[in-house]
Amino acid sequence: HQSFAAHIALAKTHGKTLVIHDRDAHADILNVLDAEGVPDRFVMHCFSGDADFAKACLDRGAWLSFPGPVTYKANADLREALRVIPADRILVETDAPYLVPVPWRGYPNASYLIPHTVRFMAEVRGDDLGELCDALTANAFAAFGGAW
């Protein structure tokens, strides 16, 4: 908790985006964020929660980033979370070389596989693929402080 609080303080002090990979520490993450105050920008990397956790993160101003496991049959809770997120708060990622989307599960992950995840996300959400792609680009710029 102390290390995470210090990380939050660094992000706030230097105006950097805080990237959080909570690995099933949902309650602890929220408790520390509430105690320390959220930075201007933060991303839930490799989002792994359900719709309730997604809403709690959104209430605090997060962007939620989805890797390949959103495509796995067993991850219905993750897909439900994806459905409740406003289009301006969604990100996509590889977390390469892990978390590969279907149909490439079992192989090393890489950025060229992102289209599989994005197409799946658009289908689950009922979004136009082009509009989702545009939103993902705008969201990445917003979440990380502009185009690089």
Side-chain angles (χ1 to χ4, degrees):
H1 291 169
Q2 282 181 295
S3 178
F4 183 41
H7 196 121
I8 293 168
L10 279 170
K12 290 163 76 173
T13 298
H14 297 286
K16 300 295 183 183
T17 303
L18 177 68
V19 178
I20 302 169
H21 190 165
D22 76 311
R23 300 288 300 225
D24 298 322
H26 305 326
D28 285 341
I29 292 298
L30 296 177
N31 289 338
V32 175
L33 282 171
D34 290 344
E36 300 301 319
V38 297
D40 291 337
R41 298 181 313 271
F42 79 99
V43 172
M44 295 301 293
H45 162 68
C46 292
F47 185 79
S48 62
D50 60 14
D52 288 337
F53 184 57
K55 290 174 188 173
C57 292
L58 291 167
D59 287 346
R60 291 160 176 82
W63 282 271
L64 309 181
S65 189
F66 289 83
V70 72
T71 68
Y72 302 173
K73 186 177 182 179
N75 287 339
D77 284 349
L78 191 54
R79 287 186 293 282
E80 187 56 35
L82 179 62
R83 287 183 191 99
V84 302
I85 300 169
D88 67 345
R89 288 292 162 168
I90 298 172
L91 296 170
V92 66
E93 63 183 276
T94 62
D95 200 39
Y98 307 107
L99 306 180
V100 183
V102 169
W104 296 101
R105 194 169 180 190
Y107 294 90
N109 204 359
S111 58
Y112 72 89
L113 296 175
I114 280 184
H116 292 282
T117 306
V118 174
R119 284 185 195 103
F120 185 87
M121 291 168 63
E123 183 178 314
V124 166
R125 290 176 49 81
D127 290 343
D128 174 82
L129 181 59
E131 290 176 9
L132 180 59
C133 289
D134 289 344
L136 290 168
T137 299
N139 295 347
F141 292 164
F144 292 101
W148 311 285

